[in-house]
Amino acid sequence: AMEDVSAKFVSQKISRTRWRPLPAAALQPPDVFATGSWDNEDNRISIWSTGDLGNAGLNGECQGEPHLLCDIQHNGDVMDMQFLDQERIVVASSTGTVTIFRHHQNNQTLSANHQWEKAHYHVDQDTSCGGAACTGVVCNNPEIVTVGEDGRINLFRADQKDAVRTIDNADSSTLHAVTFLRTTEILTVNSIGQLKIWDLRHQRNEPSQIFSLAGDRVPLHCVDRHPNQQHVVATGGQDGMLSIWDIRQGSMPVSLLNAHEAEMWEVHFHPSDPDHLFTCSEDGSLWHWDTSSNIYEKPSFLHQGGRSTAYLSHSTINQSVVSAWLSNNPTKDRMEITNLIPNQTLSVNSLDVLGPCLVYGTDSEAIYVNKQLFA
Amino acid sequence: DTVPPQVVPGADPSARQLCFAWGPAEVLVCETLFGRAGRAPCPGADGLCWALAGTGEGAPSSSRVFVVRRDQDIYIQTLRKLFNESHGIFMGLQRSEEELAGKSRKAQLVQVSKNYRSVIRACMEDMHQAAVSTRDPALQGQYSTQVSILSAMELIWNLCEILFVEAAPAGPLLLRLLDWVRLHVCDVDSMVREVLSSESPSKHKLFWNVVDVFVLQGRMDEARHLLSKEATANPTSMNMYKTLDDLMKKMPVPSFGNTQTLTELELKWQHWHEECQRYLQDGTFASNPHMESICKILLGDEDAILEKKELMTTWYHFLVTRLLYSHPTVKPLELRFYAQSSMDLFLGGESSPEPLDMILMAAFEFEMHQVIKECSIVLSNWWFVAHLTDLLDHCKLLQSHNLYFGSNMREFLLLEYASGLFSHHSLWQLGVDYFDHCPEYGRVYLELHIERIPLSTEQKALKVLRICEQRQMHEQVRSICKIMAMKALRNNRLGSALSWSIRAKDAAFATLISDRFLKDYCERGCFSDLDLIDNLGPSMLLSDRLTFLGKYREFHRLYGEQRFPEAARLLLTLMTAHIAPCSFWMTLLTDALPLLEQKEVIFSAEQTYELMRCLEDLTAGNPDKQKFQEDDVETTKVEMLRLALARNLARVIVKEGTVEGS
């Protein structure tokens, strides 16, 4: 519900919001997140805390309103951002530079830890200009993969000065986003509606598989992979369409779901509860796609079996989870979708979900935190 | 009305003539080489607020360029919160169309007004915090100035809300004005706090001042509470205290409910007034000058109230106190008389009214346009007047007023404000929605401004493009895509360039890029960006050249897959259907060579004739016949082709003859 959301106007347009990952076996919900800004004369990386400082306002009003822990200037627009571990954040810049920032938690400061200047570039890396925007970054500590407007794919290691691998001209159009499929394989989406799989073990500079949208080749802007079922992939396009792909079969999406009216900037499966998916868009909406009700809708099978109910129920649930996202015709009664921001007007550029918490940032220069997503 | 022109600091019109050029939201001023003779044009003479934004540092004086901006507040970081948050309220107001009637519509508009004010207040608090926490005295001064400007804005807005938006009727009007005074006269707050927190307030030297403050603001319960403390300390004058306390308790006040009519109230008030008069005349309070003066205040004695000038600090406080104790049922339209006389009495000819006084006076006189005009002149931003005017317009209070220039006042002010937003590096996105709600000129302004947004990344270009596409601004869509396509082309990103021109449906540019692809192919012998060309889909039909590119690539694929007859048919069609540009025919014919040399006969007799005709058309039709004769390579190529075609014809005649014969 809206009343669980706390907002803060931050006087900078927010391009990325990311929860700091929780240590393994943590029971607390996340309480620290990072933001990056874009299109300001002076862009910044900021670290925020949502925990109370002990001075919560009367009636608990101010409780949970994010407060700034520390920030640092960033050269260029923040195009993408990903935590490498609990302390380090990898940031992709519109100048083509990729920077690792370290958050020193003891004295609440940020510092640039490592930098690959002009990891993405046009024509010539050494000239003073000619950096190409780095549009996407994904980490699997210590590995970092970046993609950019130059159609280039870089593989870095956090501890190595030079790129481990670079695929020049990997794509003739702009690569908009990247994510890991498996430890050695990545998924990229581009501006001509293609989803490509790259196997980084192979030395060939070509994708191992290409999937594409039929018809008008609408550009794809974001991609995420189901955390448990690696063959289920979600992408978001320029027309706001959510596409679900089964990369085991076919070369076209299994389903196309329409809710947004403009560019979908981010799509995220809930990391621990992947029946839930979240998307945000240029049209100022943030949709929550919920297939969880689906699982419990088929109990009739369970009761008829009689024998080995436990086994049956297990397999039935598993099956319906698969069909939840891969069903060819997901109708409204099978999937519940809710817009979490009814009256927003400007773009929601980024969102992140972790545990019961959602954080998102907008072009209206505000960050919002909802700590009771499933309440 | 004219306002004195403002000086651009650093520019010296006495030494050199200045020249200037209008921009969408700013003016460029520079010094010319001409010495001063006659009158130099003086920017800023139109009476708007100008501020110097930047100079060429350290440059010789004659080569300096000044950017003069008209809305300087747009650049204040802390105010960005105000701009963004109020944008949401503004949009909500535009959406809330007049479906609600009467009372609920008014309640809605009052709520909108309160929302605007709470944003101003929140901003004021932030600014105050910033002023307190900074150590830089210059910055501190800036913040403090901003706090007082915001506070004045809120004061004016609040009064407009009471008088125009809510249009409180006689009775409730006074209660609202009292709230207004209590909210904004904060100068005495610290004194009140000091006295109340002292060990025994009644012994404090400022005790009576605080009681007076409460009485002047109509805060009767608080005044009585304080008095009761004093009373217990002075058992001898207990009766006197009780009498005063009783009078204060009994004072009739208007209420918001409809429980009593104005006549009832006036009757009660008259009785109470007479009672006060009696006590004063029979000298009940004569032994205590403090209490006597309070009684005089209760009776609305102007001199007694004016004696407390220091405690009221402003003439409008005096006005409200005076109304409370002498005309509690004042009607809205009577306000102007009391306001004018209160100001005259309060200032007493010692000081002249300041701009803020004039604005408030205009409000009390219900001169809405005067309020807006004065605010436009005095405030260094368009935010205030634009939003206030829009709200008043939604209250249907401004319909009759048309400007002699442009459209109506609401639109004029919104356009100015939005233009300011567009001149800002990041706030331009907010401006779009304001232009959208200017029916007459909004569209034109948007078209002019949106083209000036620097497209630093594709992502930003996409956002600008979305704005244009949603509004069917085809011209701007084309121009943005063209800019992006040109950039991509310069960076040798042919694939990207092509997708931008496909998005803009720009056939000419698609042709240009297709030619680059074909040129690259001719030079390198292989295609770049196959992933794109193989996936053109329906967009291939955008331009003839693009179609040819796609088809030609298809020929190569068929050939690669050894589907020779299909490849041969396609190749021939490319020429006979005139899909291929003439300049490319030679390449196509050369591509036919290996097909002609295949072991198996691929071109039929008829196809071979057609190929021959193509070759002859090309060599004969070429106006520059010389070239073919001089160029050895070309000549050899033509000879080889003729030979191959002749041999193929021979083979195919034999083959076709054999087939027919058998």
Side-chain angles (χ1 to χ4, degrees):
Chain A
M2 282 301 288
E3 49 270 28
D4 301 325
V5 178
S6 52
K8 188 173 180 71
F9 281 85
V10 294
S11 293
Q12 50 187 336
K13 293 198 273 193
I14 298 298
S15 56
R16 280 294 179 266
T17 55
R18 293 286 180 260
W19 288 111
R20 183 173 73 191
L22 294 166
L27 296 171
Q28 299 289 320
D31 59 356
V32 171
F33 64 91
T35 61
S37 74
W38 80 285
D39 205 29
N40 287 302
E41 276 168 304
D42 170 32
N43 288 298
R44 307 194 85 77
I45 305 289
S46 313
I47 307 281
W48 307 83
S49 168
T50 60
D52 29 11
L53 286 165
N55 58 354
L58 300 168
N59 314 323
E61 273 170 354
C62 296
Q63 219 162 13
E65 181 182 297
H67 56 268
L68 187 67
L69 291 178
C70 51
D71 64 352
I72 191 169
Q73 203 255 330
H74 178 263
N75 213 351
D77 293 348
V78 173
M79 302 293 288
D80 199 8
M81 188 162 78
Q82 205 79 49
F83 272 93
L84 186 65
D85 52 31
Q86 295 246 61
E87 294 197 318
R88 289 178 295 173
I89 319 158
V90 188
V91 180
S93 165
S94 59
T95 60
T97 298
V98 178
T99 314
I100 303 181
F101 288 98
R102 185 181 284 276
H103 174 210
H104 306 274
Q105 295 177 35
N106 45 358
N107 59 357
Q108 293 302 352
T109 52
L110 271 167
S111 64
N113 177 248
H114 189 81
Q115 197 160 60
W116 291 280
E117 270 193 47
K118 262 187 245 172
H120 292 270
Y121 60 94
H122 289 302
V123 195
D124 185 3
Q125 199 167 11
D126 300 322
T127 51
S128 60
C129 55
C134 176
T135 52
V137 58
V138 66
C139 312
N140 186 12
N141 196 6
E143 282 176 332
I144 299 162
V145 178
T146 66
V147 296
E149 278 184 16
D150 55 356
R152 192 171 270 114
I153 300 176
N154 285 310
L155 172 63
F156 300 108
R157 285 180 63 98
D159 46 7
Q160 280 180 28
K161 199 168 160 281
D162 295 313
V164 177
R165 169 115 190 253
T166 294
I167 308 177
D168 291 326
N169 242 325
D171 205 303
S172 62
S173 53
T174 295
L175 288 170
H176 282 145
V178 60
T179 192
F180 272 106
L181 178 60
R182 283 175 270 270
T183 46
T184 58
E185 282 176 289
I186 56 164
L187 290 163
T188 60
V189 288
N190 69 11
S191 63
I192 52 167
Q194 294 173 324
L195 169 70
K196 296 180 182 176
I197 302 180
W198 305 78
D199 190 335
L200 297 172
R201 286 168 302 187
H202 290 172
Q203 283 313 303
R204 273 179 57 226
N205 287 342
E206 266 160 39
S208 50
Q209 253 182 298
I210 301 180
F211 304 85
S212 67
L213 292 172
D216 275 344
R217 274 106 181 133
V218 178
L220 294 175
H221 286 294
C222 50
V223 59
D224 195 25
R225 186 211 64 191
H226 193 290
N228 309 329
Q229 293 150 5
Q230 295 181 335
H231 56 279
V232 181
V233 170
T235 63
Q238 185 161 283
D239 52 358
M241 196 82 83
L242 171 67
S243 311
I244 307 288
W245 312 68
D246 180 351
I247 56 164
R248 294 170 308 184
Q249 52 193 341
S251 63
M252 301 212 291
V254 179
S255 51
L256 295 169
L257 305 162
N258 204 356
H260 294 295
E261 283 159 10
E263 284 85 356
M264 184 192 291
W265 294 126
E266 284 206 58
V267 55
H268 290 286
F269 283 102
H270 191 283
S272 54
D273 203 351
D275 291 335
H276 299 267
L277 182 128
F278 298 85
T279 59
C280 62
S281 158
E282 180 71 21
D283 69 5
S285 60
L286 193 157
W287 287 94
H288 173 187
W289 311 71
D290 179 2
T291 57
S292 59
S293 57
N294 213 20
I295 301 171
Y296 309 103
E297 264 173 19
K298 298 179 178 172
S300 52
F301 289 98
L302 307 181
H303 299 301
Q304 287 162 358
R307 297 166 295 158
S308 67
T309 314
Y311 169 76
L312 252 179
S313 69
H314 182 74
S315 71
T316 311
I317 285 171
N318 240 348
Q319 238 175 359
S320 64
V321 170
V322 173
S323 60
W325 290 114
L326 293 184
S327 146
N328 273 311
N329 183 23
T331 48
K332 268 186 185 165
D333 48 18
R334 310 197 68 211
M335 188 184 301
E336 247 182 75
I337 72 169
T338 335
N339 183 6
L340 301 182
I341 318 173
N343 277 325
Q344 178 80 26
T345 52
L346 291 190
S347 173
V348 184
N349 293 324
S350 180
L351 74 93
D352 198 22
V353 275
L354 188 59
C357 301
L358 165 73
V359 59
Y360 59 94
T362 69
D363 274 346
S364 44
E365 309 196 336
I367 46 180
Y368 298 82
V369 175
N370 180 347
K371 298 195 99 176
Q372 277 152 338
L373 252 190
F374 302 113
Chain B
D1 305 77
T2 52
V3 163
Q6 298 199 5
V7 178
V8 177
D12 186 5
S14 61
R16 289 175 191 285
Q17 282 191 21
L18 299 178
C19 66
F20 70 99
W22 292 99
E26 58 257 295
V27 175
L28 286 179
V29 177
C30 64
E31 292 168 359
T32 62
L33 289 172
F34 301 104
R36 187 173 160 87
R39 208 174 149 269
C42 194
D46 61 351
L48 298 167
C49 288
W50 300 98
L52 180 67
T55 64
E57 266 174 80
S61 64
S62 58
S63 60
R64 277 197 288 188
V65 176
F66 302 90
V67 180
V68 184
R69 289 168 173 167
R70 62 190 341 174
D71 192 339
Q72 69 184 107
D73 284 3
I74 285 284
Y75 301 91
I76 296 174
Q77 186 74 6
T78 342
L79 288 184
R80 283 172 70 161
K81 182 183 166 130
L82 175 73
F83 303 138
N84 277 290
E85 219 171 339
S86 58
H87 166 258
I89 302 170
F90 174 83
M91 289 304 286
L93 178 58
Q94 314 304 310
R95 271 195 292 259
S96 76
E97 265 330 303
E98 292 101 37
E99 52 207 32
L100 295 172
K103 267 198 176 145
S104 42
R105 173 65 178 167
K106 179 175 274 186
Q108 191 183 36
L109 291 166
V110 170
Q111 190 51 51
V112 169
S113 177
K114 284 184 173 156
N115 291 347
Y116 276 127
R117 283 200 293 123
S118 81
V119 177
I120 303 178
R121 289 212 147 245
C123 216
M124 213 158 84
E125 267 155 41
D126 281 3
M127 201 74 90
H128 180 70
Q129 275 306 316
V132 170
S133 57
T134 187
R135 290 208 181 86
D136 180 355
L139 214 55
Q140 200 162 26
Q142 257 177 44
Y143 287 138
S144 305
T145 313
Q146 280 301 320
V147 170
S148 51
I149 292 173
L150 284 167
S151 146
M153 274 162 45
E154 211 256 332
L155 175 79
I156 301 166
W157 192 299
N158 196 352
L159 186 60
C160 292
E161 179 183 306
I162 296 167
L163 298 178
F164 310 144
V165 182
E166 189 180 355
L173 174 64
L174 180 72
L175 296 179
R176 289 280 182 246
L177 290 175
L178 275 172
D179 287 340
W180 176 65
V181 161
R182 286 171 197 155
L183 190 63
H184 291 97
V185 178
C186 329
D187 299 356
V188 289
D189 284 359
S190 57
M191 181 177 76
V192 172
R193 258 196 310 276
E194 192 195 319
V195 171
L196 289 185
S197 60
S198 70
E199 242 170 77
S200 83
S202 57
K203 296 278 185 304
H204 199 284
K205 62 179 191 311
L206 293 175
F207 173 78
W208 284 105
N209 278 356
V210 173
V211 177
D212 286 344
V213 165
F214 286 148
V215 173
L216 291 168
Q217 293 188 9
R219 291 153 77 174
M220 288 309 179
D221 291 342
E222 287 160 274
R224 286 172 56 211
H225 180 73
L226 263 192
L227 275 178
S228 71
K229 288 188 177 176
E230 173 73 1
T232 43
N234 293 302
T236 46
S237 37
M238 193 59 130
N239 275 336
M240 195 162 61
Y241 280 107
K242 260 199 121 151
T243 312
L244 187 60
D245 183 73
D246 203 40
L247 283 178
M248 289 165 80
K249 193 171 113 189
K250 278 197 294 193
M251 178 180 163
V253 282
S255 72
F256 288 113
N258 285 327
T259 46
Q260 59 178 356
T261 62
L262 277 185
T263 335
E264 274 170 5
L265 175 70
E266 271 162 7
L267 209 62
K268 275 190 204 164
W269 196 81
Q270 205 55 48
H271 281 299
W272 173 79
H273 201 257
E274 281 160 14
E275 201 181 343
C276 295
Q277 195 81 46
R278 262 200 313 280
Y279 282 118
L280 187 68
Q281 274 161 6
D282 65 18
T284 309
F285 306 114
S287 62
N288 187 323
H290 293 298
M291 282 199 263
E292 187 166 37
S293 108
I294 289 177
C295 187
K296 279 183 183 167
I297 295 175
L298 295 185
L299 277 165
D301 180 330
E302 270 165 21
D303 296 328
I305 299 174
L306 265 181
E307 254 171 52
K308 310 292 176 191
K309 209 169 163 178
E310 263 75 65
L311 298 177
M312 292 183 289
T313 64
T314 61
W315 64 269
Y316 44 91
H317 188 339
F318 171 57
L319 162 69
V320 175
T321 306
R322 204 176 142 204
L323 291 174
L324 173 66
Y325 294 113
S326 50
H327 311 280
T329 55
V330 63
K331 294 185 184 66
L333 289 176
E334 296 164 352
L335 275 176
R336 58 168 68 213
F337 308 113
Y338 298 115
Q340 191 60 56
S341 63
S342 297
M343 187 165 90
D344 294 344
L345 280 171
F346 194 85
L347 299 181
E350 290 161 29
S351 54
S352 51
E354 307 218 344
L356 178 62
D357 300 321
M358 300 312 293
I359 292 167
L360 295 176
M361 183 56 72
F364 282 122
E365 289 170 345
F366 281 79
E367 296 288 348
M368 251 171 274
H369 296 106
Q370 192 61 29
V371 173
I372 291 160
K373 189 174 152 191
E374 300 270 344
C375 289
S376 306
I377 295 170
V378 173
L379 295 171
S380 52
N381 64 65
W382 289 108
W383 179 89
F384 181 81
V385 280
H387 287 84
L388 182 62
T389 309
D390 174 62
L391 178 62
L392 295 179
D393 190 69
H394 276 85
C395 297
K396 305 206 178 296
L397 293 170
L398 293 171
Q399 259 85 353
S400 59
H401 194 79
N402 274 310
L403 298 177
Y404 58 90
F405 52 92
S407 56
N408 61 29
M409 183 154 68
R410 169 188 174 272
E411 175 154 335
F412 172 77
L413 294 171
L414 286 177
L415 290 173
E416 286 300 318
Y417 173 61
S419 300
L421 290 174
F422 257 93
S423 73
H424 187 276
H425 190 85
S426 331
L427 292 172
W428 58 273
Q429 268 171 306
L430 297 177
V432 177
D433 286 322
Y434 287 94
F435 283 143
D436 278 351
H437 289 97
C438 295
E440 202 155 341
Y441 294 108
R443 168 85 176 205
V444 186
Y445 269 64
L446 181 59
E447 285 172 358
L448 287 175
H449 279 287
I450 202 96
E451 285 185 337
R452 290 170 166 81
I453 299 294
L455 305 172
S456 45
T457 62
E458 288 194 9
Q459 173 117 347
K460 187 169 177 185
L462 287 172
K463 281 180 182 266
V464 179
L465 204 54
R466 174 62 61 182
I467 290 167
C468 298
E469 283 179 347
Q470 276 170 346
R471 290 157 184 82
Q472 275 95 42
M473 293 161 58
H474 305 295
E475 200 48 49
Q476 285 69 28
V477 168
R478 272 173 59 91
S479 122
I480 292 164
C481 289
K482 191 152 223 154
I483 291 168
M484 295 312 287
M486 279 305 292
K487 270 191 188 175
L489 204 59
R490 260 204 309 277
N491 291 324
N492 255 333
R493 302 276 303 148
L494 293 187
S496 283
L498 190 57
S499 34
W500 281 110
S501 44
I502 288 172
R503 175 141 186 196
K505 303 203 167 45
D506 187 340
F509 210 75
T511 301
L512 187 96
I513 298 163
S514 308
D515 280 340
R516 273 281 292 269
F517 270 113
L518 294 169
K519 192 172 141 252
D520 279 6
Y521 169 76
C522 291
E523 280 164 10
R524 282 191 254 157
C526 66
F527 281 107
S528 59
D529 303 312
L530 280 182
D531 53 344
L532 177 74
I533 301 170
D534 282 347
N535 275 286
L536 286 173
S539 53
M540 194 195 283
L541 301 172
L542 179 61
S543 95
D544 292 348
R545 202 58 49 82
L546 193 57
T547 315
F548 169 65
L549 177 66
K551 290 287 169 194
Y552 185 50
R553 160 63 193 156
E554 198 179 320
F555 160 76
H556 278 268
R557 219 186 50 236
L558 292 171
Y559 185 86
E561 288 165 7
Q562 307 219 325
R563 291 153 72 183
F564 298 131
E566 289 160 75
R569 214 176 306 131
L570 181 56
L571 189 70
L572 196 59
T573 322
L574 286 179
M575 285 182 284
T576 53
H578 292 276
I579 299 170
C582 284
S583 59
F584 216 77
W585 281 28
M586 202 46 169
T587 315
L588 293 180
L589 287 166
T590 320
D591 283 331
L593 262 179
L595 286 170
L596 293 166
E597 303 291 339
Q598 289 290 326
K599 225 178 244 161
E600 208 137 324
V601 180
I602 291 159
F603 289 102
S604 67
E606 201 185 327
Q607 285 176 324
T608 316
Y609 284 128
E610 284 190 83
L611 276 177
M612 290 166 114
R613 197 178 312 127
C614 289
L615 181 63
E616 291 318 308
D617 281 357
L618 186 63
T619 47
N622 199 314
D624 195 6
K625 230 175 174 181
Q626 299 279 319
K627 195 184 151 211
F628 275 99
Q629 284 157 5
E630 279 166 22
D631 193 334
D632 276 350
V633 184
E634 286 302 307
T635 325
T636 324
K637 241 188 211 170
V638 172
E639 289 308 315
M640 275 172 64
L641 269 169
R642 284 195 178 126
L643 188 62
L645 285 166
R647 278 174 44 190
N648 191 69
L649 190 59
R651 284 162 67 200
V652 75
I653 287 171
V654 173
K655 185 192 159 207
E656 282 174 7
T658 320
V659 175
E660 274 166 37
S662 64

